[in-house]
Amino acid sequence: MRIQIAVVAIAVMLVGGENPEALADLQSSSTEDGAGNTLIPEPTLQIEGGYAKYGDYYIGATPVDTQSVEFSQRIVKDIQIRFVNAKDQLVDDKGQPIKGRTQKDFIIGLLKLKPGQIFREDLLKADLQRLRRLESFNEVNVYREEDGKSVNIIYEIKERDFPSLILGGGDNEDVGLYGRVGYKDANISGLNDKLDTTLQISGKDVQFNGQFISRYRPEEPNRLGYSIRGFRSRNISGTFNEDIRLSNGDKVREGRFGGSVGVLRSFDEWDTSVSLNYTRISLRDREYNVAQVDRLGSPLSVSGTGIDDLFTVSFAVSRDQRDRRDNPTQGSILTLSTEQAIPIGLGNISSNRLQGNYIQYLPVSWIGNGRPTDNPEMLAINFQIGTTIGDFPPADAFNIGGLNSVRGYGYGKVASGRSYGLASVEYRFPIFQSIGGVLFTDLASDFGSSETVLGEPGVLRDKPGSGFGYGLGLRVKSSFGLIRGDLGISDQGEVRFEVTTGQRF
């Protein structure tokens, strides 16, 4: 177990988010992981003197016509799993093989290419990328040993350092001084089950967030995965922020308490989840007394009491085709979700929330020299869209603006709407081995839907409803993960510099 003491911005992001490897070189020498390795083009099939040449290999072949060839098929004979330590060694000081936490049967169960099957390059590449997307693995390399009729596949895996304990603290305008402790393990029992918890204590409040996920396992098709979560949070409201406060002059605090249980299932490359969720949303003053209206008399909740209950059933489906989990170089992620509110509890709320999120990563070579780096040159594109049908708490509006939305604006300063659309483009490029730069632009709109939110909080606070930001940033790979600093400029001339961890998307 390792202990890290960090400033609160870094500690929070490490616990709550993902730390967010080059594509496989699938030749017989090796396929290497990590930003410090060379990308090698896909081998092509050529006919030379009655033989098919695939990369560096010759296979007996007979030309059939100008469009196709026949060649002998090799069979996967064996698949081996080897673990590598932090020093990139396969054996320890006593000459014994390194033992990993992850169960080897679990790893092999994730693979599509198995012993006894005909070897296929595309399946090997897909299996490699699938393993690289696991949170418990830091690096995954693959090697081939082959003869004329069979292939042995060898995976070498360096695991992440789990479990981890994160300590932090700080001071903010809401609760004052606070301390935070977090615990995370993404490889419980060697099966990639995940526990992620954090506890924050201050003189005014106790907050927590805990989640356990037991993922669906393809080798056990009759067993569903599941997730359990509980949380309690308190923040300055992004919907009812700053300009119009409560009658006593306090900013509106937004408290949330609840939990969820869900079941998980995968179908080929699609991951799905169905969850039952409960959230109690309360609007309060600085002393955490419930507030029903703001100083203009506008309602803060559907129930009129300052507290709304949300009982929902949600369904989500996603497809992850990134080449690796952290700082991918190419691929895409598509996520679609719907969440139906059941009219139970305060507010008697019945609504449906629909969202879509698509991210595409495109490698480019505009300024680079082709050398590997921790910050590969690429374009990253993100499109988001969402809407809510029916009544919903105004605090649950889509708040646009902030370091994870439209940079250059403060959180929720663009709009608080029933619907929204967001487009972001980043050009990421290397500066030094562990330092990269980013040029970005973000554009979003509520499509005029702020007027349909109960109490019109965005309209009364003169939020523009649409806006864009642009700027530049730095990305630094460190022992704390990827540190992000973005200098954003809004179309209204506001300039903001914010530091956090992990990529924007």
Side-chain angles (χ1 to χ4, degrees):
M1 179 177 293
R2 58 188 171 88
I3 298 179
Q4 299 177 349
I5 301 178
V7 294
V8 62
I10 295 175
V12 172
M13 288 298 176
L14 282 177
V15 175
E18 314 277 359
N19 272 337
E21 282 85 22
L23 274 179
D25 164 16
L26 294 174
Q27 302 308 303
S28 62
S29 57
S30 71
T31 298
E32 297 191 351
D33 198 12
N37 301 292
T38 303
L39 295 178
I40 298 179
E42 282 288 330
T44 57
L45 189 66
Q46 306 173 23
I47 300 298
E48 296 182 15
Y51 289 85
K53 183 181 182 184
Y54 189 74
D56 296 329
Y57 301 99
Y58 287 86
I59 305 171
T62 302
V64 178
D65 54 39
T66 58
Q67 302 297 321
S68 63
V69 295
E70 295 179 356
F71 58 91
S72 59
Q73 295 176 324
R74 291 163 294 166
I75 303 299
V76 177
K77 183 178 180 181
D78 187 30
I79 294 178
Q80 301 177 30
I81 306 296
R82 299 174 181 172
F83 293 100
V84 180
N85 62 16
K87 299 178 181 180
D88 294 323
Q89 299 171 332
L90 290 169
V91 295
D92 59 22
D93 295 337
K94 298 180 180 180
Q96 298 299 313
I98 300 298
K99 294 183 178 180
R101 293 185 68 200
T102 311
Q103 295 185 24
K104 294 183 178 181
D105 289 344
F106 168 78
I107 297 172
I108 293 176
L110 297 174
L111 305 177
K112 299 292 185 181
L113 188 60
K114 299 182 184 295
Q117 296 180 346
I118 296 174
F119 176 81
R120 287 175 49 185
E121 200 85 34
D122 59 331
L123 289 183
L124 179 60
K125 178 178 177 180
D127 284 342
L128 180 66
Q129 294 181 355
R130 188 175 300 106
L131 294 181
R132 286 178 174 175
R133 289 195 292 265
L134 293 179
E135 189 175 358
S136 59
F137 293 164
N138 189 36
E139 294 180 10
V140 183
N141 303 322
V142 67
Y143 300 82
R144 300 191 312 213
E145 295 177 347
E146 54 188 291
D147 54 34
K149 295 182 180 180
S150 64
V151 180
N152 292 326
I153 300 173
I154 303 169
Y155 288 96
E156 290 188 359
I157 297 172
K158 181 186 293 185
E159 296 176 310
R160 293 191 188 279
D161 191 10
F162 285 120
S164 60
L165 181 68
I166 302 111
L167 303 176
D171 184 11
N172 68 33
E173 61 175 328
D174 181 22
V175 299
L177 292 172
Y178 64 88
R180 179 180 291 122
V181 59
Y183 176 88
K184 182 176 182 179
D185 190 350
N187 197 9
I188 297 174
S189 301
L191 296 171
N192 274 235
D193 289 348
K194 179 178 178 180
L195 176 65
D196 195 347
T197 63
T198 182
L199 175 67
Q200 177 178 303
I201 300 176
S202 68
K204 290 188 175 181
D205 198 51
V206 175
Q207 302 178 40
F208 61 86
N209 186 19
Q211 185 175 35
F212 177 79
I213 301 174
S214 181
R215 305 184 188 280
Y216 174 75
R217 302 165 195 161
E219 72 276 14
E220 301 179 50
N222 295 325
R223 173 194 176 275
L224 294 175
Y226 63 92
S227 65
I228 303 172
R229 183 189 177 210
F231 61 90
R232 185 177 189 271
S233 65
R234 162 179 168 160
N235 292 289
I236 301 294
S237 175
T239 302
F240 305 101
N241 55 13
E242 297 190 9
D243 300 329
I244 299 176
R245 304 191 178 193
L246 299 174
S247 57
N248 62 4
D250 286 352
K251 292 182 179 180
V252 181
R253 272 72 175 173
E254 183 178 308
R256 291 179 179 250
F257 171 81
S260 67
V261 294
V263 293
L264 315 174
R265 179 72 159 88
S266 296
F267 300 90
D268 197 11
E269 296 297 322
W270 293 91
D271 297 321
T272 63
S273 65
V274 178
S275 301
L276 179 64
N277 319 283
Y278 169 71
T279 303
R280 167 160 284 196
I281 305 173
S282 59
L283 291 309
R284 301 171 181 267
D285 63 13
R286 185 178 181 84
E287 301 303 321
Y288 227 43
N289 299 309
V290 176
Q292 299 178 359
V293 297
D294 63 22
R295 67 176 178 83
L296 297 182
S298 299
L300 302 180
S301 63
V302 175
S303 68
T305 66
I307 300 175
D308 285 328
D309 289 323
L310 274 175
F311 287 89
T312 66
V313 176
S314 60
F315 172 76
V317 58
S318 65
R319 187 178 189 185
D320 188 346
Q321 294 183 302
R322 295 173 296 175
D323 61 340
R324 59 188 185 189
R325 183 182 186 88
D326 295 340
N327 205 20
T329 63
Q330 67 177 13
S332 64
I333 311 174
L334 173 64
T335 303
L336 303 171
S337 66
T338 178
E339 187 172 10
Q340 177 65 47
I342 304 170
I344 302 174
L346 291 173
N348 201 38
I349 297 167
S350 178
S351 63
N352 189 271
R353 189 179 182 93
L354 300 165
Q355 287 184 271
N357 189 352
Y358 178 73
I359 303 172
Q360 179 71 57
Y361 303 98
L362 301 170
V364 297
S365 299
W366 295 341
I367 66 171
N369 56 13
R371 294 180 180 177
T373 172
D374 290 335
N375 298 277
E377 187 180 6
M378 62 178 300
L379 284 177
I381 304 169
N382 179 214
F383 296 106
Q384 300 179 31
I385 193 166
T387 191
T388 303
I389 302 169
D391 297 329
F392 62 95
D396 220 29
F398 292 109
N399 290 313
I400 307 172
L403 78 166
N404 289 319
S405 178
V406 180
R407 286 162 283 192
Y409 280 90
Y411 175 61
K413 292 296 188 67
V414 175
S416 295
R418 174 184 294 271
S419 304
Y420 85 108
L422 170 67
S424 297
V425 179
E426 291 189 351
Y427 168 55
R428 302 174 184 173
F429 56 92
I431 299 177
F432 300 108
Q433 177 63 32
S434 60
I435 301 176
V438 173
L439 298 176
F440 62 82
T441 183
D442 307 311
L443 171 66
S445 174
D446 68 352
F447 306 120
S449 65
S450 289
E451 296 179 355
T452 67
V453 178
L454 179 66
E456 300 184 356
V459 176
L460 294 177
R461 287 160 178 79
D462 295 323
K463 299 181 182 183
S466 63
F468 72 89
Y470 58 93
L472 53 87
L474 285 177
R475 305 291 184 264
V476 180
K477 185 177 182 180
S478 73
S479 58
F480 296 110
L482 187 70
I483 299 176
R484 165 162 66 107
D486 284 338
L487 177 67
I489 304 172
S490 75
D491 56 335
Q492 297 191 351
E494 184 178 1
V495 180
R496 298 177 66 92
F497 179 72
E498 298 180 283
V499 179
T500 182
T501 60
Q503 294 284 9
R504 155 74 171 76
F505 55 89

